[in-house]
Amino acid sequence: MILVFLSGFLTFGQDYAKGKQLFNTHCAACHKMDKKLVGPALNTIVARQGEEWTKEWIYNNNALRDSGDAYAIQIWEEYNKAAMPGYQFLKDEELNDIVEYLAQWQTKKDEAAAAASAPAAPVAGGGTVVVAQSEPSSWLYLLLAVALIMSLVGLYALHKGLQAIVKITTRGQSTNLYLMKKLNMDQDNVEQEFDEMIEGEVQKRTDRKIKHFKKSVNKRLKGL
C-alpha cells in the first residue's frame, strides 16, 4: 500500500504542462517530438530507455556517455559526435516534468486525433442534438431598422408622386372638357385646332430662320 501511495504521489507531482513549457524553452531548438532535427525525435525515448535514463541524459549527457552507456554513445556517433549540452541547473522536479511531457506526448496526440475524428455522441432517448446558435448582433438589428425606414420613406414618396400624377392628369382632362364645352368643340376639332396651331408656329419659325439665313448670305456676298 505504501508503494502504491508513493507511486501515485510521484505521478501526481509530474506536470505535463510545465514539462511542455520547459521543453519549448530548453529543448525545442534541437529536438522535435516526431521527427529528426539537430538531434533525434523524442516521442519514443522514454518508452525505449525509461524515465531515469532520460533524466540522466538530459541532466548530463556527457557524463552518461563517459560512463560507457551504449545508447548514449550510439546517438552521439549517429549525429556526427555533436555533444548535447548538460542541464545541471534544472531542478529534479523540472526534470520529472520534462520526462512526463516526453512520455505522454504521443498518447495525448493520439487521443486528440481520435476525439477530433469521432462522431458526435447521440442524445439519450434517441433525441436530436440541438446546436446552440449565437444571438444576432445589435448592429444587425440596427441595419434592418434603417433599411425598413428607408423602404417606408421610398413607398411614401412613390405614393405621393402617383397622387400628383393622377391629380395633374385629372385636372388636364377637366380643363380640356371645360374648353371643349366652352368653345362648343368635340375631341376631333380640338386635336385639329392643336395640329394647325403647331403647324402655323413651325411655319413661322421656319420662315424667320430662312429670312435670317438669306440676310446672312447677302452680307457675306457684299463683303466679297
Side-chain angles (χ1 to χ4, degrees), residues 174-185 190:
S174 300
T175 303
N176 289 339
L177 290 173
Y178 174 78
L179 291 174
M180 287 167 64
K181 290 180 180 180
K182 191 74 174 176
L183 298 174
N184 195 21
M185 300 173 65
V190 172

Side-chain angles (χ1 to χ4, degrees), residues 51-122:
E51 294 184 2
E52 289 302 320
W53 184 95
T54 306
K55 285 175 61 177
E56 292 180 17
W57 188 54
I58 297 170
Y59 185 77
N60 193 341
N61 176 262
N62 293 327
L64 185 62
R65 189 177 65 254
D66 292 341
S67 68
D69 185 89
Y71 189 62
I73 295 173
Q74 176 186 334
I75 295 175
W76 180 63
E77 291 178 347
E78 182 179 349
Y79 288 89
N80 299 320
K81 297 184 179 181
M84 173 179 164
Y87 291 92
Q88 291 92 334
F89 58 87
L90 291 176
K91 299 177 182 178
D92 192 59
E93 58 267 25
E94 291 176 325
L95 292 171
N96 287 332
D97 291 339
I98 295 176
V99 171
E100 174 70 8
Y101 173 71
L102 298 179
Q104 296 297 325
W105 182 86
Q106 189 64 51
T107 301
K108 290 185 178 295
K109 182 180 179 182
D110 294 341
E111 290 175 352
S117 61

Side-chain angles (χ1 to χ4, degrees), residues 137-154:
S137 171
S138 57
W139 284 104
L140 179 59
Y141 288 120
L142 180 61
L143 290 175
L144 290 175
V146 172
L148 179 59
I149 292 172
M150 292 180 66
S151 299
L152 292 175
V153 171

